[in-house]
Amino acid sequence: MAWFNNGNPQKSEAELNTLVRDVLLHPDFDVTELGDFDAGRANKRAEKMHEDFKETMMEIEVPSGVAGVPPMKTSVPGLFHRSLTSIIKAAFTGPL
């Protein structure tokens, strides 16, 4: 509760409940993994991951469902993806 009431009014009770229930009490959560945690380093890592993603638009064909009626082409904007080489590089250089 000290963290929640540290003077920053942007946190809500719902966010605190989410932190406790979905993160801290999650069976996969291991507090020992936070031993060398640094928010600046974590943010830089997240920014780097975000930079690896590209936003693109893809055109897809949607079947009409009716025999003899050709599929309709539609655009799907806002599709995020990574290049195959960045995925392979991450697989061989990442900790996992």
Side-chain angles (χ1 to χ4, degrees), residues 4-5 9 22 29 38 46 49 68 73 79 84:
F4 180 72
N5 294 309
D22 297 347
F29 181 75
D38 179 85
M49 279 184 46
K73 289 187 178 184
L79 178 67
L84 185 57

Side-chain angles (χ1 to χ4, degrees), residues 38-57:
D38 179 85
R41 186 175 61 234
N43 275 328
K44 285 179 185 175
R45 192 175 299 142
E47 287 172 6
K48 173 68 175 123
M49 279 184 46
H50 181 72
E51 289 172 5
D52 287 346
F53 282 83
K54 308 289 184 229
E55 184 176 4
T56 191
M57 181 183 68

Side-chain angles (χ1 to χ4, degrees), residues 25-42:
L25 295 177
H26 192 280
D28 293 337
F29 181 75
D30 182 3
V31 72
T32 61
E33 293 181 13
L34 296 176
D36 65 343
F37 177 79
D38 179 85
R41 186 175 61 234

Side-chain angles (χ1 to χ4, degrees), residues 51-94:
E51 289 172 5
D52 287 346
F53 282 83
K54 308 289 184 229
E55 184 176 4
T56 191
M57 181 183 68
M58 178 176 245
E59 192 170 276
I60 61 171
E61 291 185 356
V62 180
S64 68
V66 178
V69 177
M72 182 177 75
K73 289 187 178 184
T74 187
S75 296
V76 180
L79 178 67
F80 286 89
H81 65 93
R82 290 172 59 190
S83 71
L84 185 57
T85 53
S86 75
I87 294 169
I88 294 170
K89 182 179 177 183
F92 283 96
T93 60

